[in-house]
Each structure stands twice: as C-alpha cells, then as structure tokens.
C-alpha cells in the first residue's frame, strides 16, 4: 500500500488531513457498531478499507464505481466481500 500511497500523494498529507482521517475512523467504528460487526479483526480490516476508499475518492483520480475492483486488487478480497464492504462504505454519509 505504500506504493499506492506515494502514487496518489497520501504520504504528503497535512496534520489537518491526518486529524480528519482519525475522525473518520471513529465515525466508521460507530457505523460498524450499528451494523453489529463485533469481531475485532474484521472491524479493523473494514475501517482500513473504508479509509482507503475515502482517500482514493479524495484524490479524484479514480472513478469510485470501480471501488469493488480496487478493493479486490488492493486487499486481495473475494469479489463478493469487496462488494459488500464497498456497498457499506458508499451507504455511509460522506
């Protein structure tokens, strides 16, 4: 992921952007509570995926309708699981 971060310019984020990421992380964790996802590992993986999708969207370089495919490629997820995570992420208010 470091290569993709460098490619998309994520490693040059400001302190304000880093703080926004922390806030989003808290929001995503609350959403996971609402979804009833309690497994710690699954929660961590989903928050990482949600944050990744958010960062990709913020660059404006990639059409987010390819979000499922991005997750499949980046996290080596089965397409069905990637689609579920993407659908959850897109349903959150952004």
């Amino acid at each position: 992921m470091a290569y993709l971060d460098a490619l998309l310019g994520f490693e040059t984020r400001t302190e304000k952007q880093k703080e926004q990421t922390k806030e989003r992380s808290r929001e995503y964790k609350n959403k996971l509570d609402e979804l009833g996802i309690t497994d710690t590992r699954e929660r961590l993986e989903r928050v990482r995926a949600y944050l990744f999708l958010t960062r990709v969207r913020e660059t404006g370089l990639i059409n987010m309708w390819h979000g499922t495919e991005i997750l499949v490629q980046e996290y080596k997820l089965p397409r069905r699981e990637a689609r579920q995570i993407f659908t959850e992420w897109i349903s959150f208010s952004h």
Side-chain angles (χ1 to χ4, degrees):
M1 189 144 107
Y3 169 75
L4 190 57
D5 281 356
L7 180 68
L8 297 174
F10 294 148
E11 61 186 22
T12 59
R13 292 182 300 153
T14 65
E15 289 302 315
K16 181 179 178 182
Q17 290 169 322
K18 290 177 184 178
E19 187 59 38
Q20 288 173 334
T21 298
K22 288 180 186 177
E23 178 60 32
R24 281 191 195 107
S25 179
R26 286 189 288 272
E27 291 173 12
Y28 291 148
K29 289 176 183 176
N30 290 337
K31 295 288 186 180
L32 291 171
D33 288 341
E34 292 174 18
L35 293 173
I37 298 172
T38 58
D39 180 67
T40 304
R41 184 176 179 171
E42 184 177 356
R43 289 173 65 89
L44 180 60
E45 289 172 2
R46 287 186 188 233
V47 168
R48 284 182 182 161
Y50 299 153
L51 289 172
F52 175 75
L53 288 169
T54 300
R55 293 185 336 199
V56 169
R57 184 193 68 213
E58 288 173 349
T59 68
L61 298 174
I62 299 171
N63 185 327
M64 291 312 295
W65 289 110
H66 299 288
T68 298
E69 190 60 35
I70 292 167
L71 290 174
V72 168
Q73 291 175 4
E74 184 66 24
Y75 291 100
K76 310 297 186 242
L77 295 173
R79 187 168 307 284
R80 183 175 184 189
E81 184 178 348
R83 187 177 309 116
Q84 179 180 355
I85 290 171
F86 179 72
T87 302
E88 290 168 2
W89 174 78
I90 210 166
S91 71
F92 299 157
S93 60
H94 293 290

